[in-house]
Amino acid sequence: MPSIAIVYFSGSGHTHLTAEAIAEGVRKTGNHVELLRIKGEQITNGRWQDDEIMEKLDRADAIVFGSPTYMGGVAAQFKAFLDAGSSAWFSRKWKDKIAAGFTHSGSLSGDKQGTLIYLSIYAAQQGMVWVGAGDLPSQYLGKTDGVNRLGSFLGIMGQTIMSMTGGEAILDSGDRLTAEYFGQRIAEATKRWNLEQLAIAT
Ligand SMILES: Cc1cc2nc3c(=O)[nH]c(=O)nc-3n(C[C@H](O)[C@H](O)[C@H](O)COP(=O)(O)O)c2cc1C
């Protein structure tokens, strides 16, 4: 059974809710999923370290990367984690694992594309196999469920107007469904890729 790790940072909870919805999608396919949340406290003198998380990522068949969009790119906390992943780059530990990405921001655009482009470049540097989003924006199908309402294909995007007063994070119902379907797609792609790898090896 393929094992999928979702590694992400979330400051105010929206990226966390998205990660949970992706995990729900993975579970619906009967596959194993692990949610790994990066925390600012794991960074000392600019360097992120958590050996337990790294070991779990080394064991996973697929890694899904998630970060809120901060200033048009990945959050600094998540970048510190990604840079720590350079140890896996040297040893090619994550090579040939499935990879995918997601982001959340406050504005409808908010330059979220920048975050997904960076995450896909990162996966390429690691020698990973990037899986994009497969769903057509559902309005093209005459539906109002909000699936891929932001029309993103490199990975998935979600958006919630930023609250200036705090409060509990909520996820748009379309963004939640988009994330669930994405989780299913990643799990199915991982299963197919693993079978292919097995066939080549035997
Ligand atoms: C430092 C900082 C920079 C941000 N930059 C952007 C941005 O470039 N574009 C945007 O649309 N929203 C931006 N936002 C809003 C966040 O992306 C938004 O609040 C998002 O939901 C945060 O995700 P989270 O709840 O998982 O932390 C920024 C927020 C912060 C705190």
Side-chain angles (χ1 to χ4, degrees):
M1 182 200 296
S3 145
I4 319 276
I6 304 174
V7 62
Y8 64 98
F9 169 76
S10 184
S12 52
H14 302 89
T15 312
H16 171 68
L17 293 176
T18 312
E20 284 189 328
I22 295 172
E24 193 49 39
V26 173
R27 282 188 207 104
K28 281 188 176 163
T29 65
N31 291 292
H32 178 73
V33 65
E34 187 118 41
L35 285 163
L36 306 169
R37 186 170 181 165
I38 298 303
K39 304 222 170 74
E41 304 85 77
Q42 295 162 328
I43 302 168
T44 311
N45 294 327
R47 291 188 72 82
W48 177 90
Q49 189 173 2
D50 186 316
D51 294 343
E52 207 181 316
I53 288 185
M54 284 313 250
E55 278 162 26
K56 285 179 174 169
L57 292 174
D58 290 347
R59 281 198 301 271
D61 296 300
I63 304 178
V64 188
F65 300 96
S67 171
T69 291
Y70 281 0
M71 303 308 291
V74 297
Q77 294 88 337
F78 200 65
K79 183 69 168 73
F81 151 72
L82 292 170
D83 288 353
S86 60
S87 58
W89 179 84
F90 278 117
S91 52
R92 306 316 280 154
K93 259 194 188 147
W94 297 354
K95 183 171 178 278
D96 290 340
K97 290 184 193 290
I98 293 283
F102 62 103
T103 188
H104 200 96
S105 86
S107 298
L108 271 174
S109 162
D111 296 317
K112 283 189 280 298
Q113 185 89 348
T115 305
L116 293 180
I117 288 172
Y118 177 68
L119 293 176
S120 63
I121 290 173
Y122 181 83
Q125 287 221 353
Q126 295 281 14
M128 301 173 86
V129 181
W130 186 259
V131 173
D135 290 305
L136 204 62
S138 67
Q139 63 264 30
Y140 285 100
L141 304 169
K143 293 187 189 167
T144 54
D145 59 14
V147 168
N148 198 7
R149 67 189 175 100
L150 300 173
S152 175
F153 295 96
L154 189 56
I156 60 163
M157 293 176 174
Q159 177 264 342
T160 311
I161 294 170
M162 196 177 163
S163 160
M164 294 300 173
T165 52
E168 209 180 318
I170 48 154
L171 202 59
D172 174 272
S173 60
D175 291 346
R176 182 182 303 278
L177 208 51
T178 306
E180 263 193 52
Y181 291 169
F182 193 48
Q184 288 176 24
R185 174 174 168 80
I186 293 161
E188 280 153 12
T190 308
K191 206 184 284 182
R192 280 202 298 274
W193 178 249
N194 282 5
L195 284 173
E196 195 75 24
Q197 297 271 86
L198 204 65
I200 290 168
T202 52

